[in-house]
Amino acid sequence: EFANNFDLSVLKELNKNKFSRAAGAVAGVVLEKHLTQVCGNHNIKITKKDPSISDLNDLLKNNSVIEIKDWRFIQHLGDTRNLCDHNKSKEPTKEDVEDLINGVDKITKTIF
């Protein structure tokens, strides 16, 4: 529900104004919340205390909710989010974060 109600244009504005890392981190939260909701929609039990995007993505793939192409796409989004959250040696580019935001938008609209 949170993901569906979150206005991603706010993140596009942040990214445009050179706050790419912050925009990417929040986009990751939106994606994580959405994937958690999708697991709930399909009655998939999440056993890990703090599951990552990758954990949730694997659960959805292993329970045949998503196809391999979607799994790969979500893995890619998760990698970009991790770059925003963790990796201090490389700054995420504006384009990386724009792709992440657009990818999150696509996933929240196509995977339920």
Side-chain angles (χ1 to χ4, degrees):
E1 200 170 295
F2 167 82
N4 299 338
N5 295 328
F6 189 85
D7 184 358
L8 292 173
S9 65
V10 172
L11 301 183
K12 290 179 181 181
E13 224 19 65
L14 272 176
N15 191 34
K16 201 168 80 179
N17 289 294
K18 299 189 174 71
F19 293 99
S20 296
R21 194 177 283 277
V26 176
V29 171
V30 174
L31 180 59
E32 214 166 77
K33 290 228 185 256
H34 182 72
L35 296 178
T36 300
Q37 181 63 54
V38 174
C39 284
N41 294 349
H42 292 271
N43 299 312
I44 297 169
K45 189 168 170 43
I46 301 168
T47 53
K48 211 168 180 187
K49 189 180 183 302
D50 293 308
S52 65
I53 288 171
S54 183
D55 296 324
L56 297 165
N57 195 27
D58 286 348
L59 281 171
L60 293 171
K61 177 181 62 108
N62 296 341
N63 284 277
S64 304
V65 174
I66 58 173
E67 296 176 25
I68 295 290
K69 68 176 180 57
D70 293 322
W71 177 82
R72 283 198 183 104
F73 183 65
I74 293 168
Q75 283 299 109
H76 170 70
L77 297 177
D79 290 345
T80 305
R81 193 290 300 263
N82 288 340
L83 177 63
C84 294
D85 278 6
H86 306 296
N87 190 342
K88 304 296 182 219
S89 61
K90 180 183 184 290
E91 281 296 313
T93 66
K94 202 172 177 179
E95 292 75 23
D96 289 337
V97 174
E98 191 175 322
D99 287 347
L100 173 58
I101 295 165
N102 290 333
V104 169
D105 188 42
K106 178 185 173 191
I107 293 300
T108 57
K109 288 178 176 163
T110 58
I111 295 176
F112 307 105

